[in-house]
Amino acid sequence: MPSECPKTRHPKRPRATRDSTICWASRATSKSGNLGCRALTDSACDIIRGIVGAHGEDAEIFLPDSNCPDAPYYPIPLRPRELLRDICHPLRYLRSLHVFKSADLILDAGQGDSFSDIYGTARFNYIDRIHSVARLLGKRYVLLPQTIGPFSLESVRRRASRSMRKSMAVMCRDEESLDCAREVCPGSKNMDSYIDLAFFLPYKRLCFHSGFLHVGLNISALLWNGGYTRDNQFGLKCDYRKLVRAILDYFLSILIYLYSLDFQPYLLFHQQ
């Protein structure tokens, strides 16, 4: 697993000729409470180190705006307090700008599913900022496997189209996202579907008691609470809480009757 703040180097190899500096656009370190973003970060850092190391180079990875002590800022402020921070700490701003200007590659996974306006324009602005920074500095950037869209606002749709067209590659983690990307960027040849980054996480296989039917259920706190607005923000056609309870009741009753096994549920959470 990557370290908490992965500004670390691959073990030195005699044939290494240079360092590859990579800005990984994620605030999620292993201290983050968002387990989904943390999984994406850990997987991406592990993959990056493996690829770069296989070519005899060292990887230096930065997580902008994370809780790492040496994390760079984004050089384009979005909020007044960010602008004030840059004015009050000009040396750190210049160091941050140097990190981005020195980067060989900028990678972004859009926090998994935030390259969209489904969470509001402010969230999209935050995600799309890294693409704007890359273009401003003339840096290559890649949209790693993530959900693309939906885009309900035409202004967001145009900006998303520009960011995808200018990227080296758009990696969609499902076919629906690929369809959306192709609709927004008709004729683009730089996009395809890929496996989700989280599937590359290292794991240890566990043995479970054979006398139980083991079922894992991931419960979304965001949906459980009705979205950020707490009033069914995403327009679900059913009551999410009743649905979760109904699924548990289903396994407790019908499947136990069919398989004559005791039911062992595992409730998985997305946020700590």
Side-chain angles (χ1 to χ4, degrees):
M1 298 288 288
S3 61
E4 292 181 350
C5 295
K7 183 193 172 185
T8 55
R9 298 177 182 275
H10 229 299
K12 291 292 185 180
R13 291 172 170 80
R15 57 195 178 96
T17 57
R18 61 184 297 276
D19 292 341
S20 292
T21 302
I22 298 172
C23 282
W24 160 244
S26 171
R27 301 176 65 182
T29 66
S30 56
K31 290 183 178 180
S32 171
N34 190 316
L35 301 182
C37 291
R38 201 161 91 186
L40 297 178
T41 298
D42 287 348
S43 289
C45 290
D46 192 55
I47 294 170
I48 291 167
R49 292 192 182 100
I51 294 174
V52 174
H55 288 79
E57 298 184 3
D58 296 331
E60 191 169 24
I61 305 171
F62 291 87
L63 303 184
D65 273 4
S66 69
N67 54 12
C68 296
D70 55 357
Y73 297 144
Y74 287 111
I76 298 179
L78 290 178
R79 294 170 290 185
R81 68 179 184 181
E82 292 179 341
L83 178 60
L84 181 62
R85 176 200 62 194
D86 295 342
I87 294 174
C88 294
H89 302 281
L91 292 181
R92 185 170 181 184
Y93 174 81
L94 291 175
R95 284 196 298 268
S96 299
L97 184 60
H98 175 73
V99 168
F100 281 95
K101 291 179 69 175
S102 302
D104 296 293
L105 189 62
I106 295 177
L107 304 175
D108 171 45
Q111 295 184 358
D113 63 352
S114 294
F115 191 62
S116 167
D117 55 15
I118 191 173
Y119 296 123
T121 306
R123 175 77 71 88
F124 176 81
N125 290 342
Y126 180 84
I127 297 300
D128 194 51
R129 170 168 57 173
I130 187 64
H131 313 139
S132 300
V133 170
R135 293 195 299 271
L136 179 65
L137 299 177
K139 297 297 177 180
R140 299 175 299 170
Y141 66 96
V142 174
L143 275 66
L144 294 180
Q146 59 186 280
T147 301
I148 303 295
F151 306 106
S152 59
L153 298 176
E154 183 59 31
S155 59
V156 172
R157 187 183 181 90
R158 288 196 300 268
R159 291 170 56 196
S161 175
R162 176 177 173 82
S163 291
M164 287 190 286
R165 288 183 184 278
K166 296 293 185 178
S167 69
M168 289 181 63
V170 178
M171 302 179 178
C172 307
R173 64 181 183 181
D174 55 76
E175 291 299 323
E176 187 175 355
S177 291
L178 180 59
D179 291 341
C180 178
R182 286 173 172 169
E183 180 187 354
V184 172
C185 302
S188 292
K189 305 296 184 181
N190 64 338
M191 49 189 61
D192 209 337
S193 59
Y194 297 82
I195 191 171
D196 189 87
L197 282 168
F199 287 104
F200 291 92
L201 275 174
Y203 68 94
K204 181 179 180 182
R205 185 179 295 275
L206 301 177
C207 295
F208 294 98
H209 194 289
S210 60
F212 290 86
L213 181 65
H214 301 273
V215 177
L217 180 61
N218 177 239
I219 301 176
S220 168
L222 185 61
L223 297 181
W224 184 273
N225 293 318
Y228 296 111
T229 59
R230 298 184 179 274
D231 61 355
N232 192 21
Q233 178 183 2
F234 305 112
L236 300 185
K237 296 181 179 179
C238 66
D239 185 310
Y240 183 76
R241 297 188 181 191
K242 290 183 179 179
L243 174 64
V244 170
R245 295 188 178 105
I247 292 173
L248 292 172
D249 289 340
Y250 171 79
F251 284 107
L252 280 169
S253 56
I254 298 178
L255 291 187
I256 291 177
Y257 173 77
L258 291 177
Y259 293 97
S260 299
L261 293 173
D262 290 328
F263 173 50
Q264 176 60 61
Y266 300 89
L267 303 183
L268 311 175
F269 50 89
H270 189 75
Q271 292 271 1
Q272 282 185 333

